[in-house]
Amino acid sequence: MTTAISVSGLVKTFGPTRALDGLDLTVRSGEVHGFLGPNGSGKSTTIRVLLGLLRADAGEVRLLGGDPWTDATELHRRLAYVPGAVSLWPNLSGGEVIDLLGRLRGGLNPKRRTELLERFDLDPTKKGRAYSKGNRQKVALVAALASDVELLILDEPTSGLDPLMEAVFKDCVREEHERGRTVLLSSHILAEVESLCERVSIIRLGRTVETGTLTELRHLTRTSISAELAGVPDRLGEHPGVHDLHVEGHRVRFDVETAELDPVLRELTRVGVRGLVSQPPTLEELFLRHYEEASR
Amino acid sequence: MTTTTALPTPARVGSGGWRTGFTGTTALLRLALRRDRVLATCWILVFVAMAAGSAAASQGVYPTQQARVRAASAINDTPAMVALYGRVFDPTSLGAVSLIKLGAFGAALVALVAIFSVVRHTRGEEEAGRLELVGAAVVGRYSALTAALLLAIGTSIVLALLTALSLVGAGLPADGALAFGLSWAGAGVAFAAIGALAAQVTESARTANGIGAAVLAVAYLLRATGDVTGVDDSTWPSWLSPIGWAQQVRPFAGDRWWVLVNLLVFAALVAAAAYALVARRDHGAGLVAARPGRAAAQPRLRSPLALAARLHRGALVGWLVGMALGGLLFGSIASQVGALADTPEAREMIRRLGGERGLTDAFLATELGILGVVVAAYGISAALRMRGEETAGRLEPVLATGVGRLRWAASHVIVALGGAALLLVTVGLGAGFAHGAATENFGEIGRVLAAALVQLPAVWVLTGITVLLVGAAPRLAVLSWAALVLFLLLGQLGSLMRLPGWMIDLSPFGHTPKLPGAELELTPLVSLTLIAAILLTVGLSAFRRRDIG
């Protein structure tokens, strides 16, 4: 399997601010890759380096086998991009923008254009200044999805879309995936990432903190356990994998790292288990943990 | 064009709507002051310094009454000067002579600042969507407009008082100094109202600024026509123009305070119209309802150049119309200027300039030089569009397609350079045709056209400076306007203020041959073109290497 995007040790500074601080990212060809991180963690900066809009200060960046800075125009014919905040020309209609961007990229599939306009329920005759935020987003989505390209770079593409349109968007991404296209999806919506992405990378403060498949990442999360025991669980607190331990007599409540589940359960059975409720880990927790660390 | 006017009944302004319509004006005014504190301070100080500098310098240049009378008649007997600056109403008055170049001309600059300021705080905010954020707070329907007008009126009054003080400081009489300051302020207030009205008519701040500037241009041309066609006094067209009124206050030459009332009544009426429109229109809408566009792009919209042409089209058409009118007007009065001068001194000067033909040529050369500066403003605004596209986030999606940076930037540069050339051709043809028609000699068209086209290299230098800034120092790109103002002032006031020659020579406009009449020198034209080419090359290569956004 080849790689569509490979970034290692990427550094980008703006004056005194270090926006990207040794970021790594690998997107394999044909996969839908989730790109996650709290606000201001460097997602859009990374994407703009990938598009050759910003020049990297240090690190290795390869995109579709080329250098995004020096080979920008050739590479751009093979990819489509949807920015997080779409700004349209006030006096051009949505249809004109879709056609223009498609043509500048080297062509647009007219059948797909018609089909997407219908699916996204978008009126192409409105002028740029008359569209709402969600509709501006749809213009950019139709322009990107209607072109026959290898790679889609989507920067929070569903911001402003209603739930119905979000579902249409998900279907479209799945279809693109089935056609063998690579998708880099930066997003904040966990349900979206969970249902679309095979692999995800989580960044914070300009560094990659987790990367892997969703199953792998689940291993990094914690399971919540509450149990009624036969005796006093005096040694539970010393265990390194146990967090937020609450003990009330024979009742315990705690979170345990999924990798440490086995030794902790042994400890519980040693004391004697009368009742046990465990809650499986959610991605949400994983994100919250990383996001909270970022805000600290 | 389907111009359905969006004038629904003022539904949300119910009983008591008038009073609650102003809620929050103070807060908005404070916000506007906070946003403009540096900008407003700077432009006020520049104007005050200009006035005081001219007044102080003139005392040395025209120490005696005789010297002043000679200087005044040199202006009053030269129609090109009268068209540009107006008349010296009292040749013996030091104030009237020393401030002649800043009376009507300065008033027009103050008016331009007032238009831009009001549009910036009304339609500009509305278009950017920020007014909606503010409007959802406890803010009335008229508050933004009122705050913008109060800001413009307030800065105009401050400008008037500081200018008057500085003129008194320079040794001029106090009542004349106050009249001069108030004539500027009057123009500012009148055109603040014009800006307020223009802001209600269109959805786009850019177009509103354009409408305001066009009204100002018409006002200036009316005043020029009225001043040139009168023998000792101005004729009626001057009295149709707010700029004419500002001039007719006649500071240091009788101080006719009552003319200020004209300006105030005019401002009140125009502002009332703006208020009436605000009450009737929807937020974000103009008077002309937006038409739906094409569902698909035309086949030719397929290159960055086609996109640039499309984006610049509206503004360029407006400029072309304005420049054609300006050219026609100046061309049609050019041949009459000799007949208007009937004093012996004027006859003498005409003889020295090479007869009536020489006088006509000198008039055309001066007016075409000024129109050259105006066309340079087009070049700057067209080139600044690049930075506008970048900051609005519309450059990114284009560069994310197969379009290279150089190709994109070159498209806008081509439109800026080519548009400026087209404008000068229009000016030249308009002036040449009108002049040819007046003299029944259409052979003149070629001479006048050539005289317009020699302005092009200097215009291109200004475009080059703008492209250099956009490429190498994008945050400072608006300073290209400062360069234009600097060059303009160096040309207008440089010799009066006795600045060193090298400084005056900085202005590219100073090197343009004064055609028709003067000899066509190719060296400065070639040098200016080369300088423009170097500026463009450096700017574009810097743009290729920098970060976007």
Side-chain angles (χ1 to χ4, degrees):
Chain A
M1 193 176 263
T2 54
T3 42
I5 296 172
S6 88
V7 176
S8 65
L10 176 61
V11 175
K12 178 70 198 174
T13 53
F14 298 107
T17 338
R18 215 170 161 82
L20 298 179
D21 186 15
L23 183 122
D24 303 307
L25 173 69
T26 306
V27 178
R28 296 174 189 152
S29 291
E31 77 176 1
V32 181
H33 194 101
F35 193 38
L36 297 141
N39 295 330
S41 57
K43 299 188 295 292
S44 294
T45 306
T46 309
I47 286 178
R48 298 171 73 220
V49 170
L50 288 174
L51 290 170
L53 296 167
L54 302 179
R55 196 209 277 265
D57 291 330
E60 189 78 19
V61 186
R62 302 292 287 171
L63 177 82
L64 300 173
D67 178 329
W69 180 264
T70 52
D71 313 327
T73 33
E74 297 89 88
L75 293 176
H76 291 171
R77 288 180 215 282
R78 297 160 62 194
L79 63 83
Y81 163 60
V82 176
V86 179
S87 168
L88 301 176
W89 295 277
N91 51 350
L92 259 65
S93 74
E96 284 179 307
V97 172
I98 292 169
D99 287 345
L100 174 72
L101 291 178
R103 287 169 189 172
L104 293 179
R105 196 177 289 118
L108 185 103
N109 184 337
K111 232 179 81 185
R112 210 130 154 75
R113 178 191 189 273
T114 321
E115 182 205 319
L116 285 163
L117 281 178
E118 200 163 305
R119 282 171 75 179
F120 278 107
D121 191 22
L122 178 70
D123 174 4
T125 65
K126 273 199 187 175
K127 295 278 179 78
R129 65 161 70 86
Y131 283 119
S132 67
K133 176 172 163 49
N135 281 328
R136 285 203 301 273
Q137 205 71 32
K138 287 189 206 168
V139 170
L141 278 170
V142 172
L145 294 169
S147 41
D148 292 314
V149 291
E150 295 163 46
L151 171 67
L152 290 169
I153 297 181
L154 313 174
D155 191 359
E156 298 185 20
T158 53
S159 57
L161 292 191
D162 63 44
L164 204 65
M165 289 303 139
E166 229 178 280
V168 174
F169 166 77
K170 280 190 205 168
D171 289 343
C172 287
V173 171
R174 278 193 204 103
E175 287 162 26
E176 297 299 317
H177 179 50
E178 279 158 24
R179 288 199 185 112
R181 290 191 188 139
T182 314
V183 181
L184 177 65
L185 172 68
S186 137
S187 177
H188 266 304
I189 302 165
L190 300 169
E192 189 175 281
V193 173
E194 270 191 290
S195 70
L196 290 175
C197 302
E198 300 146 279
R199 293 175 69 241
V200 301
S201 294
I202 302 175
I203 70 165
R204 103 182 141 78
L205 299 173
R207 278 170 188 275
T208 313
V209 288
E210 303 285 1
T211 184
T213 64
L214 287 177
T215 336
E216 278 163 7
L217 291 187
R218 283 210 174 84
H219 272 288
L220 299 169
T221 57
R222 296 167 187 177
T223 305
S224 306
I225 289 185
S226 57
E228 175 129 22
L229 303 176
V232 180
D234 44 0
R235 270 154 53 189
L236 206 53
E238 297 157 22
H239 205 284
V242 170
H243 303 269
D244 299 330
L245 178 65
H246 297 273
V247 185
E248 291 166 27
H250 291 189
R251 284 175 170 276
V252 289
R253 261 189 308 122
F254 58 91
D255 293 340
V256 55
E257 288 169 22
T258 311
E260 297 291 318
L261 202 53
D262 192 48
V264 171
L265 284 179
R266 271 175 215 282
E267 175 61 22
L268 290 184
T269 44
R270 197 188 58 79
V271 181
V273 179
R274 287 201 184 131
L276 183 134
V277 180
S278 90
Q279 264 164 359
T282 64
L283 261 189
E284 189 115 5
E285 269 179 309
L286 178 69
F287 295 128
L288 283 177
R289 215 173 80 212
H290 281 300
Y291 283 29
E292 276 163 11
E293 277 170 30
S295 64
R296 254 171 227 156
Chain B
M1 198 169 107
T2 48
T3 50
T4 42
T5 43
L7 284 174
T9 49
R12 271 159 291 178
V13 186
S15 54
W18 178 251
R19 196 172 301 165
T20 57
F22 292 93
T23 317
T25 304
T26 330
L28 285 181
L29 182 59
R30 257 193 235 120
L31 174 69
L33 278 171
R34 168 71 186 77
R35 288 181 66 209
D36 275 6
R37 59 183 179 182
V38 177
L39 198 70
T41 312
C42 284
W43 76 256
I44 288 176
L45 289 181
V46 166
F47 278 95
V48 170
M50 256 180 1
S54 291
S58 301
Q59 307 209 331
V61 184
Y62 316 119
T64 62
Q65 180 149 325
Q66 203 186 359
R68 293 199 285 271
V69 171
R70 215 179 308 126
S73 70
I75 289 172
N76 286 350
D77 297 339
T78 313
M81 294 292 207
V82 173
L84 193 53
Y85 303 117
R87 250 163 225 292
V88 179
F89 290 110
D90 179 357
T92 61
S93 154
L94 177 64
V97 175
S98 64
L99 290 169
I100 178 66
K101 289 191 173 177
L102 285 177
F105 199 67
L109 289 178
V110 173
L112 200 61
V113 173
I115 293 169
F116 288 174
S117 165
V118 169
V119 170
R120 171 178 146 87
H121 290 291
T122 52
R123 181 59 72 174
E125 287 296 279
E126 193 166 331
E127 193 183 20
R130 285 189 290 266
L131 197 56
E132 195 168 340
L133 194 68
V134 174
V138 187
V139 162
R141 173 164 287 265
Y142 307 107
S143 306
L145 180 58
T146 312
L149 282 172
L150 286 177
L151 179 73
I153 293 168
T155 44
S156 295
I157 291 172
V158 172
L159 171 73
L161 296 178
L162 288 180
T163 305
L165 277 178
S166 76
L167 290 179
V168 171
L172 294 176
D175 43 359
L178 187 61
F180 184 83
L182 288 179
S183 75
W184 270 6
V189 172
F191 279 90
I194 293 279
L197 186 58
Q200 310 313 318
V201 177
T202 68
E203 291 177 4
S204 136
R206 189 189 293 272
T207 315
N209 281 332
I211 293 173
V215 173
L216 176 60
V218 170
Y220 206 81
L221 289 177
L222 278 173
R223 187 259 71 238
T225 313
D227 287 358
V228 169
T229 51
V231 177
D232 284 325
D233 201 345
S234 315
T235 53
W236 59 270
S238 291
W239 287 95
L240 292 180
S241 157
I243 297 295
W245 297 334
Q247 203 179 15
Q248 294 299 335
V249 173
R250 303 192 175 185
F252 306 105
D255 302 332
R256 300 199 289 187
W257 303 96
W258 57 267
V259 186
L260 288 169
V261 177
N262 275 23
L263 285 161
L264 293 182
V265 171
F266 174 83
L269 289 177
V270 175
Y275 276 95
L277 289 181
V278 158
R280 273 155 216 276
R281 69 177 180 85
D282 288 336
H283 182 93
L287 273 192
V288 181
R291 286 170 292 156
R294 299 172 178 278
Q298 285 181 305
R300 64 167 185 267
L301 186 63
R302 58 184 314 115
S303 66
L305 186 59
L307 173 64
R310 171 76 185 268
L311 296 178
H312 289 269
R313 190 175 62 190
L316 184 56
V317 168
W319 275 86
L320 283 171
V321 172
M323 287 290 118
L325 289 176
L328 283 171
L329 180 82
F330 285 131
S332 61
I333 53 178
S335 63
Q336 301 159 25
V337 296
L340 298 168
D342 53 359
T343 60
E345 295 87 4
R347 287 280 157 213
E348 168 61 21
M349 200 161 68
I350 291 168
R351 202 185 51 72
R352 266 189 287 124
L353 284 165
E356 289 204 1
R357 183 179 170 101
L359 188 67
T360 300
D361 283 354
F363 176 85
L364 281 169
T366 310
E367 303 311 331
L368 290 173
I370 286 297
L371 289 177
V373 175
V374 176
V375 172
Y378 168 78
I380 291 175
S381 82
L384 277 178
R385 192 73 187 249
M386 286 198 277
R387 180 63 183 155
E389 288 286 288
E390 182 180 355
T391 50
R394 293 190 290 257
L395 168 56
E396 244 177 66
V398 173
L399 288 188
T401 67
V403 174
R405 293 176 181 213
L406 194 57
R407 219 175 132 214
W408 176 83
S411 315
H412 283 274
V413 170
I414 287 169
V415 174
L417 298 178
L422 199 59
L423 285 169
L424 286 175
V425 169
T426 310
V427 164
L429 287 179
F433 178 79
H435 182 50
T439 55
E440 292 178 4
N441 174 12
F442 286 98
E444 291 287 297
I445 294 182
R447 284 180 77 230
V448 178
L449 181 59
L453 283 176
V454 289
Q455 312 293 331
L456 194 53
V459 168
W460 280 351
V461 168
L462 268 298
T463 311
I465 291 174
T466 314
V467 172
L468 177 70
L469 286 170
V470 169
R475 273 157 225 265
L476 304 178
V478 284
L479 283 187
S480 39
W481 289 116
L484 180 68
V485 172
L486 178 74
F487 294 153
L488 185 63
L489 293 180
L490 282 177
Q492 298 292 317
L493 303 175
S495 46
L496 179 68
M497 290 191 174
R498 293 185 173 162
L499 294 177
W502 64 265
M503 213 187 245
I504 297 174
D505 283 345
L506 281 179
S507 167
F509 301 111
H511 301 278
T512 302
K514 304 281 177 281
L515 293 191
E519 205 170 316
L520 173 63
E521 293 169 80
L522 286 178
T523 323
L525 295 180
V526 172
S527 317
L528 287 173
T529 311
L530 276 178
I531 291 170
I534 292 169
L535 290 168
L536 288 168
T537 313
V538 176
L540 287 175
S541 66
F543 181 72
R544 283 184 78 179
R545 271 175 282 127
R546 73 167 168 88
D547 287 346
I548 297 295

